[in-house]
Amino acid sequence: MERPKPTSLPTSIPSQDIKLYQPLHLLPIGKKATISQLMLTGDMRRRLLDLGFIVGTKVQCLYHSPLGDPTAYLVRGTVIALRQEDASQIIVAF
């Protein structure tokens, strides 16, 4: 009885299939990403959802304040400033 030949595995994963995840506060200025998870709870989660921070939404880091906190993000055509404490609880993929 002959053994079946093993199927070959791909030697590399196409780059468009690889997603990098990081907290929103680490997104560099000018870079765009997609919201993949909100790790907040309670009133702050509800507030961010109301402002458009919904899973699957594109977000862009526009600029940091002179002291570095808060940071301005472009979400659904609106500029929203978030403190690092809150932005660190939003996970994005790019």
Side-chain angles (χ1 to χ4, degrees):
M1 182 182 258
E2 191 175 315
R3 289 179 119 177
K5 291 184 180 179
T7 59
S8 63
L9 298 173
T11 56
S12 66
I13 298 171
S15 61
Q16 68 269 16
D17 293 340
I18 297 175
K19 292 194 181 210
L20 301 175
Y21 296 92
Q22 70 179 27
L24 180 59
H25 77 282
L26 296 177
L27 192 65
I29 293 175
K31 183 84 172 169
K32 294 180 183 178
T34 303
I35 297 171
S36 61
Q37 185 178 9
L38 292 176
M39 298 172 50
L40 296 153
T41 59
D43 290 339
M44 192 58 184
R45 179 182 179 85
R46 179 81 253 155
R47 195 168 294 128
L48 288 176
L49 288 169
D50 290 343
L51 289 171
F53 285 86
I54 300 167
V55 172
T57 300
K58 301 282 185 199
V59 61
Q60 180 181 3
C61 180
L62 294 180
Y63 45 81
H64 300 288
S65 69
L67 297 178
D69 196 28
T71 300
Y73 299 96
L74 182 64
V75 179
R76 297 181 177 251
T78 303
V79 178
I80 299 171
L82 289 180
R83 295 176 297 181
Q84 182 176 339
E85 174 185 346
D86 298 325
S88 67
Q89 299 297 308
I90 301 171
I91 305 301
V92 296
F94 59 97

